[in-house]
Amino acid sequence: MDRRRDRAEWVDYLLGLPDKAFLNIIRNYLGRIETPYHKPRFIEKLEKYLSTAETQKAIEDLLSAEDRQVLSIIALSKKPAEKELTDFLSRDGIEDADIKIRQLYDRLLIFPDKEGRLLFTPALKNMLTEKAISVSYAFPPEEGTWPGNTPVTWCTPALISAFFSILIKDPTIITVKGEIKAKKQEEIAEKIADFTENPQRLIAITQALTKLDICTEKDKKTLLKKADNLSQISQSQRLSLFAAASIAEKEDIQKLAKAILLLNHILISGKNYTKRNINRAILFSLGELAEKYGDTIEETLILWGILHKKDTVYTITQAEVPSSAAPQMIIEQTGRINIYPHAKLEDILIPACTADLEKHDIVSHYTISKKSYKNIVEAGIEPGEIPLRLMVTSSAALPHSLSRTLELWQEEAERIRHIEGIIAILQPQYAQLVKKLPGYKHCIREELTENILLIKKDRAEEWQNLLSQAGIEIVLPTESDQEQKDTRLETDIEIPAINIKTEIPPCGNSKRKKELIQELEKKDIPQETKKNILAKIESGFILFSAQMTDANSVQDILEADGLDYQAKIRLIEESLKSGTEKLELEITSPTGTINIKTRPIKLTKENNKHLLLVKNPSGAHPLTIEVAKIKKVKRLPQTLS
């Protein structure tokens, strides 16, 4: 279906070309044109010509490194607009990028559809995909291996689960501004070794989770639900989301995360890159966001351990946790849980969040205590889910003593669940105050935790009075309060699969262009014709020696000397109109004659003098040349159309 649609678009593109441009292309590839002619029939012949193995081999042989780079960028961009591609290639340092793209049109490698999006010519698409397109052409890696240990990110699932286990025990450790309370910073750093050595990482993860509306969530049940949602996406998505959230404005987080995820796809893990190619890849990935975040993105990616730098060499981290046959965690006889670095967040999050974190370094060490198990009540986890999660993730039966203990705690939790009463959750300081008041014991059925209390239903009024004495005002829930909180995260940052090669395909006959030039020299044709055909060989328009004919030489008048002022003006205007031509100018100066090849920018008239503004071949600022001082003008067509 795509092939048929693309072919219809290609036919429409060719039929829509001006007659002169269309006939130039047909003449170049199919030879002399006899009249009357029928455009659709020519297009059929052209398609057959492009589909032959001989033609495709010739096209492949003549592809330069720059051709392959541009074609690979088009493939990665997925139907880019011509202007987008031109802008990127220009910023990337490719001179005359617009001419380059027009030449690819005339070489019949790509074409624009009705919306101006660039597609590969259907007859050549398979050959180009197999022989000319690769991530390694678009952003070539360097030879050699990474100087040092294989780089990994610090923000592993094990560390994330350790951080959440602390946060779910006490969500109030983080302020509404997303800052960790000073007293708690040291406590967290003691438990998570990485934050002791790198305190900026603690700040980064807190800021990221705050921007994602996770850290500031004070309701434990909602917090755990959001954390669980976060665990359902891949590690590369999660890292991209965290890195983006740590620097982006809220409305840009999803777009920037997608750009970072794209960067992970177009750079090959374990390969080395120069700063230039890293900058090119970042520029390509960010697109329109480059202006906003281009200056800080490299530093951010290095901070999150997505990108690594050593001296002048860069590499990208493989974000996904490598699979392992070893269990993700081990449960000791004492009930202590050891979680390993290759564990997946979705498997270990619940067990980690319902246990007490002792220490996280290479292995995360947790202890299951009755107090930590009671977090199940607060966080809304099914008590029976914990033993099941532990067994699945550890790939082993639980030690008998721990299994029996968990059963007892589960029975207790189930019993509490079926006791009628009112659950009261108080701030610890208020719970201590209420417990000292007379009448407290008459109202209480059971203390579930230090600050979670089960109140007797028939003592509800007394309990309300008791709270009033303690200065606690009860606000009864309204209908809107009772609605379930939306705990979804905006994590839809998956990018379409990039189905292009990462390795470099073997190149064709790199000597083909040289061989064509040698064949041209042997041809018995006028010298001017040879010059015109040589220009076509250099641009990649000539595939076979059979194309080297007088009929395939440019027929237009391309040159005017100083004796014909109006002819020079006309040639300059025609060159400007084409938009893709260069001029060869012979200029008279006090020191003699100067010859330059350049692109015209604008022709103006001031005080009865024609002034030509041209691109400066050796400088940043354009040159202004008086036409009267131009001894000779010669158009240098760069395209067929």
Side-chain angles (χ1 to χ4, degrees):
M1 186 66 183
D2 284 351
R3 165 91 187 209
R4 254 184 308 202
R5 188 182 62 239
D6 289 356
R7 186 189 180 279
E9 292 271 13
W10 182 65
V11 171
D12 287 347
Y13 158 70
L14 290 173
L15 290 174
L17 289 173
D19 284 353
K20 182 181 174 183
F22 177 82
L23 294 175
N24 278 345
I25 289 172
I26 296 301
R27 188 181 296 112
N28 182 71
Y29 294 104
L30 301 183
R32 189 180 295 276
I33 296 169
E34 294 186 11
T35 56
Y37 60 84
H38 186 236
K39 279 188 174 182
R41 193 169 297 158
F42 273 139
I43 292 171
E44 284 178 19
K45 285 183 178 180
L46 190 61
E47 186 173 32
K48 284 179 184 175
Y49 172 82
L50 294 175
S51 299
T52 65
E54 186 184 15
T55 300
Q56 294 197 0
K57 181 69 172 73
I59 290 171
E60 181 201 343
D61 288 347
L62 289 169
L63 291 172
S64 67
E66 190 172 78
D67 292 335
R68 293 168 188 270
Q69 182 186 47
V70 174
L71 292 170
S72 297
I73 287 169
I74 291 170
L76 284 169
S77 302
K78 300 189 181 297
K79 301 182 182 180
E82 182 178 334
K83 187 178 184 311
E84 288 171 9
L85 182 65
T86 303
D87 289 347
F88 173 74
L89 295 178
S90 299
R91 290 197 304 269
D92 195 28
I94 292 182
E95 195 175 350
D96 297 323
D98 56 337
I99 292 178
K100 180 72 189 173
I101 293 168
R102 294 296 307 179
Q103 287 176 340
L104 293 177
Y105 286 179
D106 292 348
R107 290 165 68 187
L108 303 176
L109 301 175
I110 61 171
F111 70 98
D113 65 11
K114 291 186 186 74
E115 296 174 357
R117 301 269 163 190
L118 302 183
L119 306 174
F120 292 108
T121 298
L124 298 175
K125 187 174 181 179
N126 288 343
M127 183 277 288
L128 293 174
T129 302
E130 278 299 309
K131 307 285 188 179
I133 291 169
S134 165
V135 169
S136 295
Y137 283 137
F139 306 102
E142 296 293 290
E143 293 294 326
T145 55
W146 179 253
N149 297 328
T150 304
V152 293
T153 179
W154 55 269
C155 193
T156 60
L159 181 137
I160 296 167
S161 65
F163 183 72
F164 269 119
S165 72
I166 294 172
L167 191 59
I168 284 172
K169 297 292 180 298
D170 183 7
T172 65
I173 62 173
I174 294 176
T175 68
V176 288
K177 292 181 181 178
E179 297 167 353
I180 298 175
K181 292 178 180 176
K183 291 179 182 177
K184 295 291 181 178
Q185 281 190 28
E186 201 174 312
E187 185 182 317
I188 293 172
E190 278 177 9
K191 291 191 172 182
I192 301 178
D194 196 58
F195 293 154
T196 308
E197 297 164 18
N198 304 283
Q200 76 277 15
R201 293 178 179 175
L202 176 57
I203 295 167
I205 198 169
T206 307
Q207 286 175 340
L209 291 170
T210 300
K211 282 263 193 76
L212 294 169
D213 295 324
I214 298 174
C215 265
T216 49
E217 182 58 65
K218 302 307 177 194
D219 175 62
K220 291 185 179 183
K221 188 172 183 178
T222 309
L223 176 59
L224 186 62
K225 182 63 181 168
K226 286 187 174 183
D228 194 38
N229 288 345
L230 197 65
S231 77
Q232 301 303 312
I233 62 176
S234 69
Q235 171 73 346
S236 56
Q237 285 178 308
R238 199 159 45 238
L239 266 182
S240 301
L241 203 58
F242 285 177
S246 67
I247 60 166
E249 293 171 14
K250 210 157 189 179
E251 63 272 18
D252 290 336
I253 290 174
Q254 298 300 310
K255 287 188 285 185
L256 186 58
K258 191 173 281 192
I260 295 169
L261 195 60
L262 175 61
L263 187 70
N264 262 296
H265 281 70
I266 63 177
L267 295 178
I268 305 168
S269 171
K271 296 286 187 180
N272 296 343
Y273 293 89
T274 61
K275 182 171 179 61
R276 181 178 182 276
N277 275 326
I278 285 292
N279 288 343
R280 288 178 61 246
I282 287 173
L283 185 68
F284 175 81
S285 302
L286 292 190
E288 62 183 17
L289 296 173
E291 193 174 334
K292 225 173 182 182
Y293 304 108
D295 291 341
T296 55
I297 191 70
E298 182 186 313
E299 183 184 341
T300 302
L301 296 176
I302 289 173
L303 170 63
W304 282 93
I306 296 171
L307 190 66
H308 295 263
K309 179 184 177 186
K310 196 172 181 71
D311 301 325
T312 57
V313 182
Y314 292 77
T315 194
I316 197 93
T317 302
Q318 178 62 53
E320 300 307 326
V321 179
S323 57
S324 172
Q328 298 183 56
M329 64 168 71
I330 287 179
I331 319 294
E332 295 177 357
Q333 289 292 333
T334 57
R336 187 195 210 197
I337 306 172
N338 297 335
I339 295 177
Y340 293 100
H342 62 267
K344 293 179 182 175
L345 186 60
E346 64 179 303
D347 294 331
I348 62 173
L349 181 72
I350 301 299
C353 287
T354 52
D356 291 319
L357 176 69
E358 296 172 19
K359 187 81 175 168
H360 169 86
D361 37 41
I362 295 173
V363 179
S364 302
H365 305 292
Y366 296 87
T367 302
I368 299 181
S369 65
K370 187 172 184 178
K371 183 181 175 184
S372 66
Y373 194 83
K374 281 189 175 180
N375 271 295
I376 296 168
V377 178
E378 292 181 67
I381 303 166
E382 290 292 330
E385 189 179 348
I386 301 304
L388 182 63
R389 291 259 191 168
L390 291 173
M391 283 190 286
V392 169
T393 318
S394 62
S395 305
L398 299 181
H400 179 73
S401 57
L402 174 63
S403 180
R404 182 61 190 139
T405 303
L406 291 178
E407 281 175 23
L408 293 172
W409 291 348
Q410 183 179 341
E411 287 168 12
E412 187 178 335
E414 292 292 349
R415 181 182 62 79
I416 291 168
R417 185 170 294 196
H418 291 96
I419 294 174
E420 284 196 345
I422 301 164
I423 295 283
I425 303 174
L426 303 178
Q427 293 285 352
Q429 63 269 32
Y430 288 122
Q432 290 173 14
L433 183 61
V434 169
K435 286 176 185 179
K436 292 176 183 175
L437 295 174
Y440 167 75
K441 289 187 178 177
H442 296 294
C443 297
I444 296 298
R445 183 174 294 280
E446 190 163 348
E447 291 182 1
L448 303 179
T449 69
E450 287 182 10
N451 60 316
I452 301 178
L453 312 168
L454 186 65
I455 313 301
K456 294 174 184 175
K457 241 183 174 182
D458 57 351
R459 301 278 181 172
E461 198 174 325
E462 284 179 56
W463 173 248
Q464 195 168 341
N465 292 334
L466 203 64
L467 293 178
S468 296
Q469 291 175 43
I472 303 169
E473 184 183 350
I474 294 180
V475 180
L476 295 173
T478 63
E479 246 182 70
S480 60
D481 289 335
Q482 291 173 339
E483 289 173 8
Q484 190 174 1
K485 277 193 177 183
D486 184 6
T487 59
R488 289 172 301 170
L489 288 171
E490 288 188 45
T491 53
D492 181 24
I493 57 166
E494 190 66 75
I495 61 169
I498 295 174
N499 298 318
I500 76 171
K501 296 174 182 288
T502 54
E503 72 277 7
I504 297 179
C507 290
N509 179 12
S510 58
K511 296 177 182 176
R512 189 177 191 92
K513 185 180 283 189
K514 189 177 178 182
E515 290 167 357
L516 287 171
I517 293 170
Q518 287 170 349
E519 287 181 44
L520 176 63
E521 289 301 319
K522 297 173 188 174
K523 292 278 183 183
D524 185 18
I525 52 177
Q527 199 60 34
E528 193 60 29
T529 301
K530 280 189 177 180
K531 282 175 69 176
N532 291 335
I533 290 176
L534 178 60
K536 285 189 171 188
I537 292 174
E538 293 294 348
S539 298
F541 300 139
I542 301 294
L543 305 177
F544 305 105
S545 62
Q547 293 171 264
M548 302 174 191
T549 64
D550 236 355
N552 197 17
S553 179
V554 179
Q555 303 298 312
D556 296 341
I557 296 170
L558 296 178
E559 195 171 309
D561 61 26
L563 299 175
D564 192 346
Y565 188 82
Q566 289 306 317
K568 287 191 294 184
I569 295 294
R570 187 172 63 254
L571 287 184
I572 291 168
E573 286 174 340
E574 287 171 356
S575 181
L576 284 165
K577 190 178 177 182
S578 83
T580 59
E581 283 191 1
K582 291 187 177 183
L583 291 174
E584 186 175 335
L585 304 175
E586 197 174 297
I587 306 163
T588 305
S589 74
T591 57
T593 302
I594 302 170
N595 285 285
I596 62 169
K597 289 180 183 178
T598 183
R599 288 188 75 176
I601 299 171
K602 188 166 63 171
L603 182 66
T604 58
K605 191 173 183 179
E606 292 178 20
N607 302 323
N608 291 321
K609 291 180 180 179
H610 282 96
L611 302 175
L612 177 61
L613 189 70
V614 300
K615 190 174 178 181
N616 189 341
S618 57
H621 301 291
L623 299 173
T624 302
I625 304 168
E626 189 180 340
V627 174
K629 292 183 179 179
I630 300 175
K631 191 175 177 182
K632 188 184 283 186
V633 176
K634 184 175 181 181
R635 287 170 58 192
L636 303 172
Q638 305 294 302
T639 62
L640 299 176
S641 58

